[in-house]
Amino acid sequence: MSKVMVTGGAGFIGRYLTAALLARGDSVVVVDDFTTSDAARLAEFRHQPGLTLQEGSVLDQSLVEQVSAECDWTAHLAAAVGVRRILDRPLASLRGNVLGTEHVLAAAQRHHHQRVLLTSTSEVYGRNTGTLYEDADRLLGPTTVSRWSYSAGKTVDEFLAFGYWRELGLPVIVARLFNTVGPGQSSAYGAVLPRFAAQALAGEDLTVYGDGRQTRSFCYVTDVVAALLALTDQPAAVGVPVNVGSEEEVTILDLAHRVLRAAGSASSVRFVDFQAAHPDGFEEVPRRRPETSRVRELTGWRPRYDLDAIIEAVLEHERHRTGQLAQGGVSGHGE
Ligand code: UDP
């Protein structure tokens, strides 16, 4: 049993990771500034003795130092979330990613952490639409497009992590997460599946950007967390990037139709010009599918949920949430 600092532990994925760590008997100190998360997400665990909540940012170096000093290892998930926020606050995203990660790694190094898990992102591949092995090229557009600032920031995170490993011996695990979805993911930051689920159940048209032929591969959040935990237990995973995601690829148009069918919804699809949805010059990525042989070879991991099961679970959560809202319940951040 160990004590783990989980940055971003009140976020969508962080909450599931926190739950899994507590369930296996670890203690968790969540460091979260609640800008895109909600303490209410952790409410169900608040009576568990193993959980401590520290409100604050990873930009607060003394807070990171103080929490690191009492922990055995770190899971660093705190980062800007979603397209919308990156567009609205590119500077905050970049600072949080680059400076925050440096604080986390430096503190872990100083306090001899057994390991640091860094959640990176498929965004590091940029516009590369080919087979995304971990060693695939990163193809980035101009610096005037903020999507690439996020990509560059997370790439710097990876370089920092590998530097701490190679030069200073801090064991780092770098997991590149692809589209991760599941109950509790907010629709407020642009993520497509919670948006489609909410639209379908509210009887609104599903807003498909562009012609809907762009593809993504969606992985269920508990599967992603299982991969993260398996990687942190695997010494051979140290110091190399590892893709974590589903290889089941779907066009966004097909996703919309599958959500409509599963919801039994009478809504239709409404095509929205991508530039109209993103007047600030954001760029669409036409295809993104991970190649996941590395994580399989390292840990034996495979996702358990296929896309239909994922859609079902997200719809079920959305039905429950809107039912609660109708009865006057509350939920944070437009979940
Ligand atoms: N998307 C869409 N309608 C929406 C929200 C998103 O068609 O209401 C598309 C978006 O353009 C992208 C895909 O769904 O092609 C996934 O978007 P998301 O923001 O979930 O993830 P990311 O683009 O970061 O992979």
Side-chain angles (χ1 to χ4, degrees), residues 82-83 122-123 147 179 185 189-196 199 206-210 212 214-216 218 252 255 274 278 282 284-285 288:
V83 167
S122 59
E123 285 290 322
R147 181 167 209 144
N179 295 73
Q185 182 174 37
Y189 307 107
V192 67
L193 190 51
R195 279 175 60 86
F196 282 0
Q199 289 165 340
L206 273 57
T207 51
V208 169
Y209 297 156
Q214 70 273 33
T215 73
R216 293 294 186 273
F218 297 91
I252 296 303
L255 178 73
F274 186 80
H278 300 294
F282 202 65
E284 175 68 295
V285 174
R288 207 170 260 165

PDB file of all heavy atoms in Angstrom, residues 82-83 122-123 147 179 185 189-196 199 206-210 212 214-216 218 252 255 274 278 282 284-285 288, ligand 1:
ATOM      1  N   GLY A  82     -10.069  19.688 -22.921  1.00  0.00           N
ATOM      2  CA  GLY A  82     -11.063  19.992 -23.957  1.00  0.00           C
ATOM      3  C   GLY A  82     -10.714  21.142 -24.871  1.00  0.00           C
ATOM      4  O   GLY A  82     -10.020  22.086 -24.515  1.00  0.00           O
ATOM      5  N   VAL A  83     -11.232  21.017 -26.066  1.00  0.00           N
ATOM      6  CA  VAL A  83     -11.018  21.987 -27.135  1.00  0.00           C
ATOM      7  C   VAL A  83     -11.393  23.406 -26.712  1.00  0.00           C
ATOM      8  O   VAL A  83     -10.654  24.354 -26.896  1.00  0.00           O
ATOM      9  CB  VAL A  83     -11.910  21.544 -28.323  1.00  0.00           C
ATOM     10  CG1 VAL A  83     -12.024  22.628 -29.353  1.00  0.00           C
ATOM     11  CG2 VAL A  83     -11.384  20.268 -28.921  1.00  0.00           C
ATOM     12  N   SER A 122      -2.827  12.013 -27.192  1.00  0.00           N
ATOM     13  CA  SER A 122      -2.687  11.766 -28.630  1.00  0.00           C
ATOM     14  C   SER A 122      -2.462  13.071 -29.388  1.00  0.00           C
ATOM     15  O   SER A 122      -2.021  13.051 -30.541  1.00  0.00           O
ATOM     16  CB  SER A 122      -3.943  11.071 -29.169  1.00  0.00           C
ATOM     17  OG  SER A 122      -5.081  11.877 -28.920  1.00  0.00           O
ATOM     18  N   GLU A 123      -2.751  14.207 -28.745  1.00  0.00           N
ATOM     19  CA  GLU A 123      -2.513  15.501 -29.397  1.00  0.00           C
ATOM     20  C   GLU A 123      -1.040  15.681 -29.773  1.00  0.00           C
ATOM     21  O   GLU A 123      -0.728  16.488 -30.639  1.00  0.00           O
ATOM     22  CB  GLU A 123      -2.945  16.653 -28.480  1.00  0.00           C
ATOM     23  CG  GLU A 123      -4.443  16.840 -28.375  1.00  0.00           C
ATOM     24  CD  GLU A 123      -5.099  17.372 -29.641  1.00  0.00           C
ATOM     25  OE1 GLU A 123      -4.504  18.221 -30.314  1.00  0.00           O
ATOM     26  OE2 GLU A 123      -6.207  16.919 -29.955  1.00  0.00           O
ATOM     27  N   ARG A 147      -4.552  24.882 -31.114  1.00  0.00           N
ATOM     28  CA  ARG A 147      -4.501  23.433 -30.919  1.00  0.00           C
ATOM     29  C   ARG A 147      -3.050  22.970 -30.821  1.00  0.00           C
ATOM     30  O   ARG A 147      -2.710  22.084 -30.044  1.00  0.00           O
ATOM     31  CB  ARG A 147      -5.203  22.717 -32.071  1.00  0.00           C
ATOM     32  CG  ARG A 147      -5.203  21.209 -31.916  1.00  0.00           C
ATOM     33  CD  ARG A 147      -6.162  20.499 -32.864  1.00  0.00           C
ATOM     34  NE  ARG A 147      -6.628  19.265 -32.255  1.00  0.00           N
ATOM     35  CZ  ARG A 147      -7.842  18.758 -32.383  1.00  0.00           C
ATOM     36  NH1 ARG A 147      -8.744  19.377 -33.094  1.00  0.00           N
ATOM     37  NH2 ARG A 147      -8.181  17.625 -31.796  1.00  0.00           N
ATOM     38  N   ASN A 179      -8.889   9.424 -27.163  1.00  0.00           N
ATOM     39  CA  ASN A 179     -10.209   9.863 -26.686  1.00  0.00           C
ATOM     40  C   ASN A 179     -10.736   8.921 -25.597  1.00  0.00           C
ATOM     41  O   ASN A 179     -10.974   7.744 -25.857  1.00  0.00           O
ATOM     42  CB  ASN A 179     -11.196   9.936 -27.853  1.00  0.00           C
ATOM     43  CG  ASN A 179     -10.792  11.005 -28.850  1.00  0.00           C
ATOM     44  OD1 ASN A 179      -9.824  10.817 -29.602  1.00  0.00           O
ATOM     45  ND2 ASN A 179     -11.488  12.120 -28.877  1.00  0.00           N
ATOM     46  N   GLN A 185     -18.130  12.467 -17.690  1.00  0.00           N
ATOM     47  CA  GLN A 185     -17.377  13.406 -18.528  1.00  0.00           C
ATOM     48  C   GLN A 185     -18.279  14.583 -18.858  1.00  0.00           C
ATOM     49  O   GLN A 185     -19.417  14.411 -19.275  1.00  0.00           O
ATOM     50  CB  GLN A 185     -16.937  12.716 -19.822  1.00  0.00           C
ATOM     51  CG  GLN A 185     -16.105  13.612 -20.725  1.00  0.00           C
ATOM     52  CD  GLN A 185     -15.570  12.856 -21.930  1.00  0.00           C
ATOM     53  OE1 GLN A 185     -16.254  11.992 -22.479  1.00  0.00           O
ATOM     54  NE2 GLN A 185     -14.352  13.163 -22.332  1.00  0.00           N
ATOM     55  N   TYR A 189     -16.866  21.168 -22.258  1.00  0.00           N
ATOM     56  CA  TYR A 189     -15.593  21.533 -22.879  1.00  0.00           C
ATOM     57  C   TYR A 189     -15.476  20.985 -24.299  1.00  0.00           C
ATOM     58  O   TYR A 189     -14.381  20.882 -24.851  1.00  0.00           O
ATOM     59  CB  TYR A 189     -14.418  21.084 -21.993  1.00  0.00           C
ATOM     60  CG  TYR A 189     -14.597  21.597 -20.589  1.00  0.00           C
ATOM     61  CD1 TYR A 189     -14.953  20.730 -19.566  1.00  0.00           C
ATOM     62  CD2 TYR A 189     -14.490  22.954 -20.315  1.00  0.00           C
ATOM     63  CE1 TYR A 189     -15.184  21.214 -18.279  1.00  0.00           C
ATOM     64  CE2 TYR A 189     -14.728  23.445 -19.037  1.00  0.00           C
ATOM     65  CZ  TYR A 189     -15.074  22.575 -18.035  1.00  0.00           C
ATOM     66  OH  TYR A 189     -15.318  23.059 -16.778  1.00  0.00           O
ATOM     67  N   GLY A 190     -16.594  20.554 -24.865  1.00  0.00           N
ATOM     68  CA  GLY A 190     -16.611  20.218 -26.279  1.00  0.00           C
ATOM     69  C   GLY A 190     -16.557  18.736 -26.613  1.00  0.00           C
ATOM     70  O   GLY A 190     -16.724  18.377 -27.773  1.00  0.00           O
ATOM     71  N   ALA A 191     -16.314  17.871 -25.639  1.00  0.00           N
ATOM     72  CA  ALA A 191     -16.147  16.443 -25.951  1.00  0.00           C
ATOM     73  C   ALA A 191     -17.405  15.890 -26.633  1.00  0.00           C
ATOM     74  O   ALA A 191     -18.533  16.161 -26.218  1.00  0.00           O
ATOM     75  CB  ALA A 191     -15.841  15.648 -24.692  1.00  0.00           C
ATOM     76  N   VAL A 192     -17.194  15.130 -27.670  1.00  0.00           N
ATOM     77  CA  VAL A 192     -18.293  14.807 -28.568  1.00  0.00           C
ATOM     78  C   VAL A 192     -19.320  13.838 -27.970  1.00  0.00           C
ATOM     79  O   VAL A 192     -20.527  14.050 -28.130  1.00  0.00           O
ATOM     80  CB  VAL A 192     -17.744  14.276 -29.925  1.00  0.00           C
ATOM     81  CG1 VAL A 192     -17.040  12.933 -29.785  1.00  0.00           C
ATOM     82  CG2 VAL A 192     -18.835  14.200 -30.958  1.00  0.00           C
ATOM     83  N   LEU A 193     -18.882  12.786 -27.307  1.00  0.00           N
ATOM     84  CA  LEU A 193     -19.862  11.779 -26.888  1.00  0.00           C
ATOM     85  C   LEU A 193     -20.848  12.296 -25.830  1.00  0.00           C
ATOM     86  O   LEU A 193     -22.066  12.101 -25.984  1.00  0.00           O
ATOM     87  CB  LEU A 193     -19.156  10.493 -26.448  1.00  0.00           C
ATOM     88  CG  LEU A 193     -20.071   9.301 -26.226  1.00  0.00           C
ATOM     89  CD1 LEU A 193     -21.008   9.035 -27.401  1.00  0.00           C
ATOM     90  CD2 LEU A 193     -19.267   8.050 -25.913  1.00  0.00           C
ATOM     91  N   PRO A 194     -20.390  12.971 -24.769  1.00  0.00           N
ATOM     92  CA  PRO A 194     -21.393  13.512 -23.837  1.00  0.00           C
ATOM     93  C   PRO A 194     -22.314  14.540 -24.494  1.00  0.00           C
ATOM     94  O   PRO A 194     -23.494  14.645 -24.146  1.00  0.00           O
ATOM     95  CB  PRO A 194     -20.554  14.147 -22.716  1.00  0.00           C
ATOM     96  CG  PRO A 194     -19.165  14.225 -23.212  1.00  0.00           C
ATOM     97  CD  PRO A 194     -19.014  13.194 -24.292  1.00  0.00           C
ATOM     98  N   ARG A 195     -21.789  15.266 -25.489  1.00  0.00           N
ATOM     99  CA  ARG A 195     -22.646  16.222 -26.204  1.00  0.00           C
ATOM    100  C   ARG A 195     -23.724  15.482 -26.989  1.00  0.00           C
ATOM    101  O   ARG A 195     -24.903  15.816 -26.909  1.00  0.00           O
ATOM    102  CB  ARG A 195     -21.809  17.080 -27.163  1.00  0.00           C
ATOM    103  CG  ARG A 195     -21.108  18.239 -26.463  1.00  0.00           C
ATOM    104  CD  ARG A 195     -20.209  18.990 -27.431  1.00  0.00           C
ATOM    105  NE  ARG A 195     -20.909  19.567 -28.574  1.00  0.00           N
ATOM    106  CZ  ARG A 195     -21.503  20.753 -28.574  1.00  0.00           C
ATOM    107  NH1 ARG A 195     -21.506  21.485 -27.481  1.00  0.00           N
ATOM    108  NH2 ARG A 195     -22.087  21.208 -29.661  1.00  0.00           N
ATOM    109  N   PHE A 196     -23.313  14.474 -27.746  1.00  0.00           N
ATOM    110  CA  PHE A 196     -24.304  13.720 -28.540  1.00  0.00           C
ATOM    111  C   PHE A 196     -25.336  13.052 -27.626  1.00  0.00           C
ATOM    112  O   PHE A 196     -26.531  13.032 -27.935  1.00  0.00           O
ATOM    113  CB  PHE A 196     -23.603  12.657 -29.392  1.00  0.00           C
ATOM    114  CG  PHE A 196     -22.928  13.183 -30.643  1.00  0.00           C
ATOM    115  CD1 PHE A 196     -22.962  14.540 -30.970  1.00  0.00           C
ATOM    116  CD2 PHE A 196     -22.262  12.313 -31.509  1.00  0.00           C
ATOM    117  CE1 PHE A 196     -22.345  15.018 -32.127  1.00  0.00           C
ATOM    118  CE2 PHE A 196     -21.647  12.790 -32.671  1.00  0.00           C
ATOM    119  CZ  PHE A 196     -21.690  14.138 -32.976  1.00  0.00           C
ATOM    120  N   GLN A 199     -27.704  15.712 -26.371  1.00  0.00           N
ATOM    121  CA  GLN A 199     -28.563  16.200 -27.457  1.00  0.00           C
ATOM    122  C   GLN A 199     -29.626  15.158 -27.808  1.00  0.00           C
ATOM    123  O   GLN A 199     -30.811  15.479 -27.947  1.00  0.00           O
ATOM    124  CB  GLN A 199     -27.707  16.527 -28.688  1.00  0.00           C
ATOM    125  CG  GLN A 199     -26.833  17.774 -28.509  1.00  0.00           C
ATOM    126  CD  GLN A 199     -25.731  17.906 -29.570  1.00  0.00           C
ATOM    127  OE1 GLN A 199     -25.361  16.932 -30.223  1.00  0.00           O
ATOM    128  NE2 GLN A 199     -25.202  19.120 -29.725  1.00  0.00           N
ATOM    129  N   LEU A 206     -28.240  16.370 -33.396  1.00  0.00           N
ATOM    130  CA  LEU A 206     -26.839  16.113 -33.055  1.00  0.00           C
ATOM    131  C   LEU A 206     -25.941  16.937 -33.977  1.00  0.00           C
ATOM    132  O   LEU A 206     -26.045  16.840 -35.209  1.00  0.00           O
ATOM    133  CB  LEU A 206     -26.505  14.616 -33.179  1.00  0.00           C
ATOM    134  CG  LEU A 206     -26.792  13.783 -31.924  1.00  0.00           C
ATOM    135  CD1 LEU A 206     -28.239  13.891 -31.488  1.00  0.00           C
ATOM    136  CD2 LEU A 206     -26.389  12.334 -32.123  1.00  0.00           C
ATOM    137  N   THR A 207     -25.081  17.728 -33.385  1.00  0.00           N
ATOM    138  CA  THR A 207     -24.239  18.658 -34.152  1.00  0.00           C
ATOM    139  C   THR A 207     -22.968  17.954 -34.619  1.00  0.00           C
ATOM    140  O   THR A 207     -22.007  17.807 -33.871  1.00  0.00           O
ATOM    141  CB  THR A 207     -23.833  19.855 -33.270  1.00  0.00           C
ATOM    142  OG1 THR A 207     -23.294  19.329 -32.043  1.00  0.00           O
ATOM    143  CG2 THR A 207     -25.010  20.756 -32.962  1.00  0.00           C
ATOM    144  N   VAL A 208     -22.985  17.512 -35.869  1.00  0.00           N
ATOM    145  CA  VAL A 208     -21.800  16.852 -36.434  1.00  0.00           C
ATOM    146  C   VAL A 208     -20.971  17.909 -37.161  1.00  0.00           C
ATOM    147  O   VAL A 208     -21.461  18.563 -38.081  1.00  0.00           O
ATOM    148  CB  VAL A 208     -22.224  15.731 -37.405  1.00  0.00           C
ATOM    149  CG1 VAL A 208     -21.026  15.213 -38.199  1.00  0.00           C
ATOM    150  CG2 VAL A 208     -22.877  14.591 -36.637  1.00  0.00           C
ATOM    151  N   TYR A 209     -19.732  18.078 -36.746  1.00  0.00           N
ATOM    152  CA  TYR A 209     -18.873  19.082 -37.365  1.00  0.00           C
ATOM    153  C   TYR A 209     -18.307  18.569 -38.686  1.00  0.00           C
ATOM    154  O   TYR A 209     -17.897  17.407 -38.784  1.00  0.00           O
ATOM    155  CB  TYR A 209     -17.724  19.474 -36.433  1.00  0.00           C
ATOM    156  CG  TYR A 209     -18.170  20.121 -35.135  1.00  0.00           C
ATOM    157  CD1 TYR A 209     -17.352  20.084 -34.010  1.00  0.00           C
ATOM    158  CD2 TYR A 209     -19.394  20.777 -35.039  1.00  0.00           C
ATOM    159  CE1 TYR A 209     -17.757  20.676 -32.821  1.00  0.00           C
ATOM    160  CE2 TYR A 209     -19.803  21.367 -33.860  1.00  0.00           C
ATOM    161  CZ  TYR A 209     -18.982  21.307 -32.746  1.00  0.00           C
ATOM    162  OH  TYR A 209     -19.385  21.892 -31.571  1.00  0.00           O
ATOM    163  N   GLY A 210     -18.270  19.464 -39.667  1.00  0.00           N
ATOM    164  CA  GLY A 210     -17.753  19.087 -40.983  1.00  0.00           C
ATOM    165  C   GLY A 210     -18.692  18.086 -41.645  1.00  0.00           C
ATOM    166  O   GLY A 210     -19.903  18.125 -41.450  1.00  0.00           O
ATOM    167  N   GLY A 212     -18.489  14.877 -41.057  1.00  0.00           N
ATOM    168  CA  GLY A 212     -18.644  13.739 -40.155  1.00  0.00           C
ATOM    169  C   GLY A 212     -17.801  12.536 -40.542  1.00  0.00           C
ATOM    170  O   GLY A 212     -17.906  11.480 -39.923  1.00  0.00           O
ATOM    171  N   GLN A 214     -14.570  12.454 -40.356  1.00  0.00           N
ATOM    172  CA  GLN A 214     -13.393  12.339 -39.491  1.00  0.00           C
ATOM    173  C   GLN A 214     -13.612  11.180 -38.512  1.00  0.00           C
ATOM    174  O   GLN A 214     -14.746  10.891 -38.144  1.00  0.00           O
ATOM    175  CB  GLN A 214     -13.130  13.660 -38.741  1.00  0.00           C
ATOM    176  CG  GLN A 214     -14.119  14.051 -37.669  1.00  0.00           C
ATOM    177  CD  GLN A 214     -15.307  14.847 -38.208  1.00  0.00           C
ATOM    178  OE1 GLN A 214     -15.752  14.646 -39.323  1.00  0.00           O
ATOM    179  NE2 GLN A 214     -15.853  15.741 -37.379  1.00  0.00           N
ATOM    180  N   THR A 215     -12.538  10.538 -38.119  1.00  0.00           N
ATOM    181  CA  THR A 215     -12.679   9.375 -37.234  1.00  0.00           C
ATOM    182  C   THR A 215     -11.986   9.609 -35.891  1.00  0.00           C
ATOM    183  O   THR A 215     -11.062  10.397 -35.781  1.00  0.00           O
ATOM    184  CB  THR A 215     -12.064   8.096 -37.850  1.00  0.00           C
ATOM    185  OG1 THR A 215     -10.638   8.204 -37.808  1.00  0.00           O
ATOM    186  CG2 THR A 215     -12.549   7.866 -39.272  1.00  0.00           C
ATOM    187  N   ARG A 216     -12.471   8.891 -34.907  1.00  0.00           N
ATOM    188  CA  ARG A 216     -11.830   8.816 -33.590  1.00  0.00           C
ATOM    189  C   ARG A 216     -12.002   7.382 -33.078  1.00  0.00           C
ATOM    190  O   ARG A 216     -12.805   6.611 -33.599  1.00  0.00           O
ATOM    191  CB  ARG A 216     -12.481   9.781 -32.585  1.00  0.00           C
ATOM    192  CG  ARG A 216     -12.287  11.265 -32.865  1.00  0.00           C
ATOM    193  CD  ARG A 216     -10.849  11.711 -32.753  1.00  0.00           C
ATOM    194  NE  ARG A 216     -10.728  13.154 -32.882  1.00  0.00           N
ATOM    195  CZ  ARG A 216     -10.601  13.803 -34.034  1.00  0.00           C
ATOM    196  NH1 ARG A 216     -10.605  13.140 -35.178  1.00  0.00           N
ATOM    197  NH2 ARG A 216     -10.459  15.115 -34.055  1.00  0.00           N
ATOM    198  N   PHE A 218     -12.743   5.555 -29.360  1.00  0.00           N
ATOM    199  CA  PHE A 218     -13.127   5.921 -27.996  1.00  0.00           C
ATOM    200  C   PHE A 218     -12.873   4.767 -27.028  1.00  0.00           C
ATOM    201  O   PHE A 218     -13.261   3.633 -27.279  1.00  0.00           O
ATOM    202  CB  PHE A 218     -14.608   6.307 -27.950  1.00  0.00           C
ATOM    203  CG  PHE A 218     -14.897   7.530 -28.788  1.00  0.00           C
ATOM    204  CD1 PHE A 218     -15.264   7.406 -30.122  1.00  0.00           C
ATOM    205  CD2 PHE A 218     -14.750   8.799 -28.244  1.00  0.00           C
ATOM    206  CE1 PHE A 218     -15.508   8.529 -30.905  1.00  0.00           C
ATOM    207  CE2 PHE A 218     -14.995   9.934 -29.023  1.00  0.00           C
ATOM    208  CZ  PHE A 218     -15.371   9.796 -30.349  1.00  0.00           C
ATOM    209  N   ILE A 252     -17.362  10.120 -37.056  1.00  0.00           N
ATOM    210  CA  ILE A 252     -18.209  10.880 -36.136  1.00  0.00           C
ATOM    211  C   ILE A 252     -19.671  10.809 -36.590  1.00  0.00           C
ATOM    212  O   ILE A 252     -20.587  10.755 -35.769  1.00  0.00           O
ATOM    213  CB  ILE A 252     -17.692  12.335 -36.012  1.00  0.00           C
ATOM    214  CG1 ILE A 252     -16.291  12.323 -35.377  1.00  0.00           C
ATOM    215  CG2 ILE A 252     -18.648  13.201 -35.204  1.00  0.00           C
ATOM    216  CD1 ILE A 252     -16.184  11.652 -34.006  1.00  0.00           C
ATOM    217  N   LEU A 255     -20.912   7.565 -35.370  1.00  0.00           N
ATOM    218  CA  LEU A 255     -21.109   7.682 -33.920  1.00  0.00           C
ATOM    219  C   LEU A 255     -22.453   8.345 -33.630  1.00  0.00           C
ATOM    220  O   LEU A 255     -23.230   7.879 -32.784  1.00  0.00           O
ATOM    221  CB  LEU A 255     -19.975   8.513 -33.305  1.00  0.00           C
ATOM    222  CG  LEU A 255     -20.083   8.749 -31.797  1.00  0.00           C
ATOM    223  CD1 LEU A 255     -19.776   7.477 -31.014  1.00  0.00           C
ATOM    224  CD2 LEU A 255     -19.136   9.870 -31.344  1.00  0.00           C
ATOM    225  N   PHE A 274     -17.240  23.246 -39.649  1.00  0.00           N
ATOM    226  CA  PHE A 274     -16.239  23.233 -38.573  1.00  0.00           C
ATOM    227  C   PHE A 274     -15.764  24.640 -38.236  1.00  0.00           C
ATOM    228  O   PHE A 274     -15.642  24.999 -37.066  1.00  0.00           O
ATOM    229  CB  PHE A 274     -15.047  22.341 -38.955  1.00  0.00           C
ATOM    230  CG  PHE A 274     -14.067  22.165 -37.833  1.00  0.00           C
ATOM    231  CD1 PHE A 274     -14.308  21.256 -36.809  1.00  0.00           C
ATOM    232  CD2 PHE A 274     -12.915  22.924 -37.775  1.00  0.00           C
ATOM    233  CE1 PHE A 274     -13.418  21.107 -35.747  1.00  0.00           C
ATOM    234  CE2 PHE A 274     -12.015  22.784 -36.719  1.00  0.00           C
ATOM    235  CZ  PHE A 274     -12.273  21.865 -35.706  1.00  0.00           C
ATOM    236  N   HIS A 278     -15.910  26.759 -34.799  1.00  0.00           N
ATOM    237  CA  HIS A 278     -14.640  27.223 -34.200  1.00  0.00           C
ATOM    238  C   HIS A 278     -14.141  28.440 -34.954  1.00  0.00           C
ATOM    239  O   HIS A 278     -13.166  28.367 -35.696  1.00  0.00           O
ATOM    240  CB  HIS A 278     -13.592  26.113 -34.261  1.00  0.00           C
ATOM    241  CG  HIS A 278     -14.004  24.869 -33.536  1.00  0.00           C
ATOM    242  ND1 HIS A 278     -14.178  24.823 -32.184  1.00  0.00           N
ATOM    243  CD2 HIS A 278     -14.282  23.640 -33.985  1.00  0.00           C
ATOM    244  CE1 HIS A 278     -14.547  23.615 -31.823  1.00  0.00           C
ATOM    245  NE2 HIS A 278     -14.621  22.873 -32.890  1.00  0.00           N
ATOM    246  N   PHE A 282      -9.453  27.194 -35.004  1.00  0.00           N
ATOM    247  CA  PHE A 282      -9.022  25.878 -34.548  1.00  0.00           C
ATOM    248  C   PHE A 282      -8.957  24.934 -35.739  1.00  0.00           C
ATOM    249  O   PHE A 282      -9.638  25.137 -36.737  1.00  0.00           O
ATOM    250  CB  PHE A 282     -10.040  25.373 -33.527  1.00  0.00           C
ATOM    251  CG  PHE A 282      -9.520  24.318 -32.602  1.00  0.00           C
ATOM    252  CD1 PHE A 282      -8.517  24.605 -31.696  1.00  0.00           C
ATOM    253  CD2 PHE A 282     -10.058  23.049 -32.618  1.00  0.00           C
ATOM    254  CE1 PHE A 282      -8.056  23.635 -30.825  1.00  0.00           C
ATOM    255  CE2 PHE A 282      -9.604  22.072 -31.748  1.00  0.00           C
ATOM    256  CZ  PHE A 282      -8.607  22.366 -30.851  1.00  0.00           C
ATOM    257  N   GLU A 284      -9.238  21.038 -37.351  1.00  0.00           N
ATOM    258  CA  GLU A 284      -9.764  19.682 -37.155  1.00  0.00           C
ATOM    259  C   GLU A 284      -8.671  18.664 -37.466  1.00  0.00           C
ATOM    260  O   GLU A 284      -7.826  18.891 -38.336  1.00  0.00           O
ATOM    261  CB  GLU A 284     -10.971  19.480 -38.088  1.00  0.00           C
ATOM    262  CG  GLU A 284     -11.580  18.093 -38.103  1.00  0.00           C
ATOM    263  CD  GLU A 284     -12.279  17.711 -36.797  1.00  0.00           C
ATOM    264  OE1 GLU A 284     -11.595  17.597 -35.774  1.00  0.00           O
ATOM    265  OE2 GLU A 284     -13.511  17.509 -36.842  1.00  0.00           O
ATOM    266  N   VAL A 285      -8.695  17.550 -36.744  1.00  0.00           N
ATOM    267  CA  VAL A 285      -7.801  16.436 -37.067  1.00  0.00           C
ATOM    268  C   VAL A 285      -8.669  15.345 -37.698  1.00  0.00           C
ATOM    269  O   VAL A 285      -9.613  14.866 -37.075  1.00  0.00           O
ATOM    270  CB  VAL A 285      -7.112  15.911 -35.792  1.00  0.00           C
ATOM    271  CG1 VAL A 285      -6.309  14.662 -36.102  1.00  0.00           C
ATOM    272  CG2 VAL A 285      -6.220  16.989 -35.204  1.00  0.00           C
ATOM    273  N   ARG A 288      -7.707   9.814 -36.038  1.00  0.00           N
ATOM    274  CA  ARG A 288      -6.782   9.504 -34.953  1.00  0.00           C
ATOM    275  C   ARG A 288      -7.128   8.143 -34.357  1.00  0.00           C
ATOM    276  O   ARG A 288      -8.187   7.968 -33.785  1.00  0.00           O
ATOM    277  CB  ARG A 288      -6.855  10.586 -33.892  1.00  0.00           C
ATOM    278  CG  ARG A 288      -5.574  10.709 -33.140  1.00  0.00           C
ATOM    279  CD  ARG A 288      -5.564  11.905 -32.278  1.00  0.00           C
ATOM    280  NE  ARG A 288      -4.838  13.027 -32.826  1.00  0.00           N
ATOM    281  CZ  ARG A 288      -4.948  14.257 -32.357  1.00  0.00           C
ATOM    282  NH1 ARG A 288      -5.797  14.505 -31.402  1.00  0.00           N
ATOM    283  NH2 ARG A 288      -4.225  15.220 -32.864  1.00  0.00           N
TER     284      ARG A 288
HETATM  285  N1  UDP B   1     -17.377  16.911 -32.783  1.00  0.00           N
HETATM  286  C1  UDP B   1     -18.592  17.011 -33.447  1.00  0.00           C
HETATM  287  N2  UDP B   1     -19.639  17.591 -32.797  1.00  0.00           N
HETATM  288  C2  UDP B   1     -19.560  18.070 -31.510  1.00  0.00           C
HETATM  289  C3  UDP B   1     -18.312  17.959 -30.839  1.00  0.00           C
HETATM  290  C4  UDP B   1     -17.253  17.382 -31.496  1.00  0.00           C
HETATM  291  O1  UDP B   1     -18.718  16.583 -34.605  1.00  0.00           O
HETATM  292  O2  UDP B   1     -20.562  18.587 -31.012  1.00  0.00           O
HETATM  293  C5  UDP B   1     -16.251  16.247 -33.465  1.00  0.00           C
HETATM  294  C6  UDP B   1     -14.933  17.027 -33.451  1.00  0.00           C
HETATM  295  O3  UDP B   1     -14.906  17.960 -34.514  1.00  0.00           O
HETATM  296  C7  UDP B   1     -13.933  15.891 -33.599  1.00  0.00           C
HETATM  297  C8  UDP B   1     -14.587  14.734 -32.857  1.00  0.00           C
HETATM  298  O4  UDP B   1     -15.964  15.047 -32.761  1.00  0.00           O
HETATM  299  O5  UDP B   1     -13.802  15.511 -34.931  1.00  0.00           O
HETATM  300  C9  UDP B   1     -14.022  14.516 -31.467  1.00  0.00           C
HETATM  301  O6  UDP B   1     -14.078  15.742 -30.777  1.00  0.00           O
HETATM  302  P1  UDP B   1     -13.628  15.855 -29.253  1.00  0.00           P
HETATM  303  O7  UDP B   1     -13.601  17.321 -28.935  1.00  0.00           O
HETATM  304  O8  UDP B   1     -14.453  14.948 -28.407  1.00  0.00           O
HETATM  305  O9  UDP B   1     -12.142  15.223 -29.252  1.00  0.00           O
HETATM  306  P2  UDP B   1     -10.804  15.563 -30.081  1.00  0.00           P
HETATM  307  O10 UDP B   1     -11.136  16.429 -31.270  1.00  0.00           O
HETATM  308  O11 UDP B   1      -9.921  16.232 -29.114  1.00  0.00           O
HETATM  309  O12 UDP B   1     -10.319  14.228 -30.511  1.00  0.00           O
END
